[in-house]
Amino acid sequence: MFQLPVSIALLFLLFPTLAVGGPALVERASAPQSTSTAKLHTLAKSKGKLYFGSATDNPELTNTSYVAQLDDSTMFGQTTATNSMKWDATEPNQGQFTFSGADQIANLAQSTGKLLRGHNCVWHNQLPSWVSNSGFTAAQLTAVIQNHCGTLVARYKGRTFNLSEPFNDDGTFRSDVFFNTLGTSFIPIALNAARQADPGAKLYINDFNIEFPGVKSTAMQNLVRTLKQSNTPIDGIGLQSHFIVGITPSTASQVQNMNAFTALGVEVAITELDVRMTLPATPALLAQQKTDYTSTVAACQQVKGCVGITLWDWTDKFSWVPGTFAGQGAACPWDENFVKKPAFDGIAIGFGN
Ligand SMILES: *[C@@H]1O[C@H](CO)[C@@H](O)[C@H](O)[C@H]1NC(C)=O
Ligand SMILES: CC(=O)N[C@H]1CO[C@H](CO)[C@@H](O)[C@@H]1O
């Protein structure tokens, strides 16, 4: 969308006066471009991180040029399935597991040498109604969680799994079928089932609005403390990092927040990074977005216990943002035509390049 279409570029060059009455043309003609030739996964590794990666989703995998770029293991060394490992996709009916979509992404990860982040084991969304509406007793729901997490984690043995979004923004626990039936014990139930299914899997809890100091981050830190005190397995905290252009937290605030987690003996990862803007994208917004990407990557780079960074898809073509936030978009480092934006350079700069 911000890539200058050839026809408009020619029009502008040949008839510059036409642009006087058309601010859109002026804006597009001066749109800043990416110049970095960095390979982000290779760069991240050279700077001591485990990976730089991108989430993906099954319907996108029919676009061959998309897949060719995703496959490039020098650019992306890790992936996360945005939807096909969620509960509604993997256990739509009780005890009936369907893994075709999840396997497609796990296989892509394997064949292109990528780490895979399991996504996810317990979450309040995309939950089939047989889980949310069955009126299970605590004992029944415990067995349901154990079977679901155990089966999922065992299938992708050796990979990360996580529980997602247990908190409200004010730091109280989210009222969902898990919390309402089991209180906070659903968290150790799921973590223990996952650990039992694959002792080698890194176990993460993931949430949003915990990327900067505040009540929700404090609540997550308290949860980590409680889990550690009760010897419940917990390896990391996923900082989702769905940010907004111009109000992305500063590097210093993100570093301070990451250090608060790593001090508790867990690692952290940036698990769903994107930086959305109100459309249309202007040169100023694209420049600010570049700065915002730099802030987050630089924060991870400064904290040894921040192990890696995952984009919530790399191209605006397949971003979740326009479908979720009306009038917003352009959140990814590559545009809808797979052309790098200034944000791409912002990432390389954040790694120190
Ligand atoms: C893939 O997406 C690109 C960028 O939008 C588009 O130009 C191309 O036609 C698509 N290819 C397929 C096979 O759908
Ligand atoms: C750390 C990690 O993999 N987090 C994922 C857990 O699941 C949630 C919700 O589906 C994802 O949003 C995270 O990326």
Side-chain angles (χ1 to χ4, degrees):
M1 180 174 201
F2 314 109
Q3 173 61 352
L4 197 57
V6 171
S7 56
I8 293 184
L10 286 178
L11 183 67
F12 179 63
L13 290 175
L14 295 175
F15 307 103
T17 50
L18 283 183
V20 172
L25 283 183
V26 173
E27 230 165 60
R28 280 161 174 255
S30 59
Q33 304 289 315
S34 158
T35 54
S36 169
T37 55
K39 296 294 190 177
L40 297 178
H41 176 62
T42 305
L43 176 59
K45 294 273 284 189
S46 78
K47 301 291 179 176
K49 299 297 150 189
L50 263 183
Y51 61 83
F52 186 90
S54 173
T56 191
D57 201 5
N58 300 74
E60 303 164 16
L61 301 178
T62 56
N63 185 308
T64 47
S65 42
Y66 172 84
V67 173
Q69 289 209 40
L70 179 66
D71 280 356
D72 179 359
S73 57
T74 66
M75 192 65 86
F76 304 116
Q78 179 274 340
T79 194
T80 305
T82 51
N83 286 302
S84 55
M85 289 188 188
K86 288 174 178 169
W87 202 313
D88 58 354
T90 51
E91 195 184 5
N93 299 300
Q94 188 168 8
Q96 288 176 4
F97 285 87
T98 53
F99 286 119
S100 49
D103 282 354
Q104 186 186 14
I105 289 173
N107 293 342
L108 178 149
Q110 196 151 18
S111 66
T112 59
K114 296 186 201 327
L115 296 166
L116 179 69
R117 214 172 247 287
H119 169 93
N120 47 35
C121 172
V122 173
W123 191 34
H124 69 280
N125 252 336
Q126 292 176 248
L127 202 54
S129 59
W130 73 262
V131 182
S132 36
N133 297 337
S134 290
F136 287 129
T137 63
Q140 287 166 336
L141 189 60
T142 299
V144 162
I145 294 172
Q146 287 170 335
N147 188 45
H148 183 76
C149 293
T151 305
L152 207 56
V153 174
R155 185 166 186 96
Y156 304 107
K157 225 174 162 145
R159 284 95 177 247
T160 306
F161 255 84
N162 79 94
L163 292 94
S164 235
E165 302 176 3
F167 289 111
N168 296 310
D169 279 348
D170 66 1
T172 57
F173 275 91
R174 195 184 278 284
S175 160
D176 60 13
V177 63
F178 304 112
F179 181 72
N180 295 344
T181 310
L182 292 165
T184 57
S185 73
F186 79 92
I187 295 175
I189 289 168
L191 289 168
N192 282 313
R195 177 53 42 95
Q196 206 177 339
D198 179 3
K202 290 267 187 192
L203 303 179
Y204 268 68
I205 301 175
N206 190 63
D207 218 323
F208 59 92
N209 287 348
I210 58 163
E211 302 88 350
F212 46 89
V215 282
K216 194 170 181 182
S217 178
T218 300
M220 186 64 90
Q221 289 160 36
N222 290 337
L223 174 60
V224 171
R225 267 187 211 99
T226 308
L227 294 172
K228 289 271 180 194
Q229 277 159 11
S230 60
N231 287 320
T232 302
I234 176 71
D235 299 304
I237 295 299
L239 310 168
Q240 291 185 6
S241 308
H242 292 294
F243 291 135
I244 300 172
V245 164
I247 53 174
T248 295
S250 68
T251 300
S253 131
Q254 293 187 60
V255 166
Q256 182 192 341
N257 187 63
M258 288 177 193
N259 283 336
F261 282 107
T262 58
L264 302 175
V266 287
E267 60 186 43
V268 295
I270 309 284
T271 55
E272 309 189 9
L273 179 61
D274 54 20
V275 186
R276 63 184 185 267
M277 62 181 73
T278 299
L279 299 173
T282 60
L285 286 169
L286 292 170
Q288 181 62 46
Q289 184 182 48
K290 173 182 176 180
T291 301
D292 291 338
Y293 267 96
T294 300
S295 298
T296 299
V297 175
C300 185
Q301 185 54 40
Q302 282 177 34
V303 177
K304 192 167 180 296
C306 181
V307 299
I309 298 173
T310 305
L311 300 173
W312 210 234
D313 227 318
W314 54 270
T315 162
D316 290 336
K317 184 181 178 85
F318 297 128
S319 171
W320 70 304
V321 168
T324 305
F325 304 96
Q328 298 183 51
C332 301
W334 278 258
D335 75 7
E336 293 178 347
N337 296 311
F338 307 162
V339 176
K340 290 171 191 164
K341 292 153 59 177
F344 180 92
D345 297 24
I347 294 170
I349 292 167
F351 280 123
N353 256 44

